[in-house]
């Protein structure tokens, strides 16, 4: 029996430490979860810009995943930036046999607007990986790309969530961070809609917000927490992390990942 919860991140590397697998691992640790990582791509970036992206070959990605899962326990996993269709397909094959919840954060662009997935990869994500997902966590822009719909209010968010449910994920959480007013996220699961609200934090330091949010959810799921409670915990954590940002870097700085929200 293993008493320590273990979570896995399958994501890209952010050398500035504010997003990607580095942020995921920090969050796992802060939430009392042992973290493992599979690297999908390397970036050259800081808080000001992404200068270059190098996607690893699918064989290297799958070899990392096989090495971990053949040796260590895993109680929940998440994906972040995956790079291209070939890498997504490789992960999707293995995800079919996962015995733990998989959170898919469909990262399509960096915080600075650098594209990280092309159209073929988005199609592969929907057709091959979404059916194995316990939860997907698109933001408004990603929801639009995944559905072809304009998603800028709660009514459209609900329609988009129901549309994405047809691709097979058990639950869809559309993040409303770019809505006007309060930050409202919409969960569609089991045929029901639930809203999660928090006040908007005015700050320029938002680097890694999406990664942090999905990582907290994953960590809580690894501890066998119910999905709704995991989302509530993630909302509180991100709000505190934004409000107490350390203001590092000369661009969009990282969140404060030391909070206990």
């Amino acid at each position: 029996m293993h008493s320590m919860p273990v979570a896995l991140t399958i994501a890209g590397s952010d050398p500035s430490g504010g997003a990607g697998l580095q942020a995921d691992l920090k969050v796992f640790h802060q939430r009392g979860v042992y973290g493992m990582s599979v690297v999908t791509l390397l970036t050259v970036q800081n808080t000001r810009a992404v200068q270059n992206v190098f996607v690893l070959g699918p064989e290297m990605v799958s070899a990392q995943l096989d090495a971990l899962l053949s040796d260590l326990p895993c109680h929940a996993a998440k994906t972040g930036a995956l790079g291209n269709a070939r890498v997504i397909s490789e992960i999707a094959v293995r995800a079919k046999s996962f015995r733990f919840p998989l959170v898919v954060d469909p990262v399509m662009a960096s915080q600075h607007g650098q594209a990280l997935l092309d159209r073929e990869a988005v199609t592969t994500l929907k057709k091959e990986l979404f059916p194995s997902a316990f939860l997907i966590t698109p933001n408004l822009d990603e929801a639009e790309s995944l559905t072809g719909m304009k998603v800028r209010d709660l009514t459209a968010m609900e329609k988009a969530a129901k549309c994405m449910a047809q691709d097979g994920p058990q639950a869809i959480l559309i993040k409303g961070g770019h809505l006007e007013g309060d930050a409202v996220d919409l969960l569609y699961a089991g045929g029901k809609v639930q809203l999660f609200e928090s006040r908007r934090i005015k700050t320029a330091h938002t680097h890694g917000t999406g990664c942090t949010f999905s990582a907290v959810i994953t960590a809580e799921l690894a501890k066998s927490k119910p999905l709704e409670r995991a989302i509530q915990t993630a909302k509180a954590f991100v709000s505190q992390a934004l409000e107490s940002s350390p203001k590092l870097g000369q661009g969009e700085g990282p969140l404060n990942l030391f909070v206990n929200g």
Side-chain angles (χ1 to χ4, degrees):
M1 296 293 292
H2 301 280
S3 60
M4 178 175 289
V6 180
L8 167 66
T9 174
I10 306 169
S13 169
D14 172 12
S16 75
L21 66 88
Q22 286 87 343
D24 293 341
L25 292 173
K26 292 175 184 179
V27 168
F28 291 167
H29 183 84
Q30 184 65 5
R31 300 305 307 170
V33 174
Y34 182 84
M36 306 184 293
S37 64
V38 168
V39 186
T40 57
L41 57 87
L42 305 176
T43 67
V44 178
Q45 68 173 297
N46 51 31
T47 65
R48 293 179 295 181
V50 175
Q51 300 168 20
N52 204 351
V53 178
F54 176 80
V55 182
L56 272 65
E59 298 83 4
M60 177 60 77
V61 174
S62 61
Q64 293 177 75
L65 188 55
D66 290 346
L68 292 179
L69 297 183
S70 66
D71 180 41
L72 289 89
C74 185
H75 303 110
K78 64 158 289 190
T79 63
L82 299 180
N84 60 37
R86 294 175 62 218
V87 170
I88 294 170
S89 291
E90 200 74 24
I91 294 168
V93 169
R94 284 154 179 78
K96 292 177 181 178
S97 61
F98 286 176
R99 303 290 186 217
F100 45 81
L102 173 65
V103 176
V104 176
D105 187 6
V107 179
M108 299 180 186
S110 73
Q111 191 88 13
H112 311 289
Q114 170 77 40
L116 297 175
L117 282 185
D118 59 22
R119 184 173 299 179
E120 178 189 4
V122 173
T123 299
T124 304
L125 189 71
K126 292 173 60 177
K127 290 185 176 181
E128 299 185 25
L129 190 56
F130 278 9
S132 297
F134 174 68
L135 174 71
I136 62 172
T137 61
N139 60 30
L140 296 183
D141 291 338
E142 291 159 350
E144 290 184 342
S145 295
L146 290 165
T147 64
M149 302 167 51
K150 184 176 181 180
V151 186
R152 293 294 144 177
D153 58 36
L154 288 174
T155 300
M157 288 167 71
E158 181 175 344
K159 290 180 180 178
K162 292 177 178 178
C163 177
M164 285 182 278
Q166 297 176 20
D167 293 318
Q170 295 182 47
I172 299 94
L173 180 67
I174 301 183
K175 299 173 290 188
H178 295 150
L179 292 174
E180 295 293 329
D182 290 341
V184 182
D185 302 331
L186 183 146
L187 173 67
Y188 180 70
K192 298 180 180 180
V193 171
Q194 187 172 350
L195 301 181
F196 298 83
E197 302 182 30
S198 60
R199 65 184 180 85
R200 184 169 302 282
I201 309 297
K202 293 184 178 180
T203 176
H205 300 282
T206 59
H207 185 59
T209 304
C211 300
T212 299
F213 186 59
S214 58
V216 176
I217 293 173
T218 304
E220 296 305 301
L221 292 175
K223 293 187 283 188
S224 300
K225 302 298 183 183
L227 177 58
E228 291 81 2
R229 184 172 173 183
I231 294 170
Q232 291 168 346
T233 299
K235 291 283 284 185
F237 186 98
V238 169
S239 291
Q240 292 184 43
L242 285 167
E243 198 164 35
S244 60
S245 166
K247 299 178 175 58
L248 296 172
Q250 300 174 45
E252 297 181 16
L255 283 60
N256 174 20
L257 300 182
F258 288 105
V259 298
N260 294 311

